[in-house]
Amino acid sequence: MKRTLYMVLLVALLGVTGCAKKNIIPDNTLADIFHDAFIVNSYIGEERINLDSLHVYEPIFQRYGYTAADVVHTVGNFSRRKSVRLGSIVEAAIAKLEKDLAYYEGFLASVMKKLSNERFVSSAPAQVVANERAKQSDAEAKIAAIQAQLAALK
């Protein structure tokens, strides 16, 4: 939960409060935004990148049609909204991470099944085997990143 609190505080402190009308982000969309931000956090932590602003999240906000100011406004207005608690939204984002983890673990299992089949490895073209090994490496990296983020959030 430390990382979640850190992210929420950074969003709240973000000085992007222009004159444009700010939107309240629906709870399910905010959970999706948090989910994507958690994924970004896992890669940032893995690469040991030091960030002093939330500019890295702007593409996430834009993908959902919102701005950083909208996120700041939404999080800042939770006490006035008749909506689920912010913690429930974070829990929904965590549930999405857990679903992603299950998907990648299943995907990795299928790739490993192919690679453990000697007949496949010996008869498939070298490029096909190399692609499967790349899929294995990619899935392992995604699993490690998601596991690290889940550990930081719990």
Side-chain angles (χ1 to χ4, degrees):
M1 286 310 255
K2 288 181 189 177
R3 263 206 145 34
T4 303
L5 181 59
Y6 179 72
M7 188 178 94
V8 171
L9 288 175
L10 281 176
V11 169
L13 293 174
L14 184 62
V16 182
T17 55
C19 296
K21 181 180 182 244
K22 296 172 198 86
N23 298 306
I24 295 288
I25 302 170
D27 297 342
N28 58 339
T29 304
L30 190 59
D32 290 339
I33 290 170
F34 280 8
H35 165 267
D36 294 354
F38 292 156
I39 295 291
V40 169
N41 284 344
S42 66
Y43 286 106
I44 290 171
E46 185 177 284
E47 297 297 322
R48 308 233 191 293
I49 298 170
N50 293 323
L51 296 175
D52 60 356
S53 73
L54 292 178
H55 74 281
V56 72
Y57 301 112
E58 283 292 338
I60 295 170
F61 305 151
Q62 291 171 359
R63 183 172 136 201
Y64 291 96
Y66 295 99
T67 65
D70 294 332
V71 175
V72 170
H73 183 68
T74 300
V75 171
N77 282 297
F78 259 92
S79 62
R80 290 179 250 160
R81 290 175 60 200
K82 299 203 187 264
S83 167
V84 296
R85 296 178 307 115
L86 182 60
S88 297
I89 291 174
V90 171
E91 290 300 320
I94 289 170
K96 289 174 188 249
L97 284 174
E98 290 169 341
K99 184 177 177 183
D100 289 350
L101 180 61
Y103 168 81
Y104 286 114
E105 287 173 338
F107 179 78
L108 179 60
S110 71
V111 170
M112 295 306 294
K113 186 175 180 182
K114 285 183 189 178
L115 291 174
S116 66
N117 181 339
E118 301 232 1
R119 184 172 172 198
F120 169 77
V121 174
S122 64
S123 64
Q127 185 59 46
V128 171
V129 174
N131 288 345
E132 291 302 312
R133 290 203 163 106
K135 289 178 187 178
Q136 174 190 0
S137 177
D138 185 53
E140 288 171 342
K142 287 178 180 177
I143 288 168
I146 293 169
Q147 287 173 333
Q149 188 60 41
L150 285 170
L153 291 169
K154 291 183 176 184

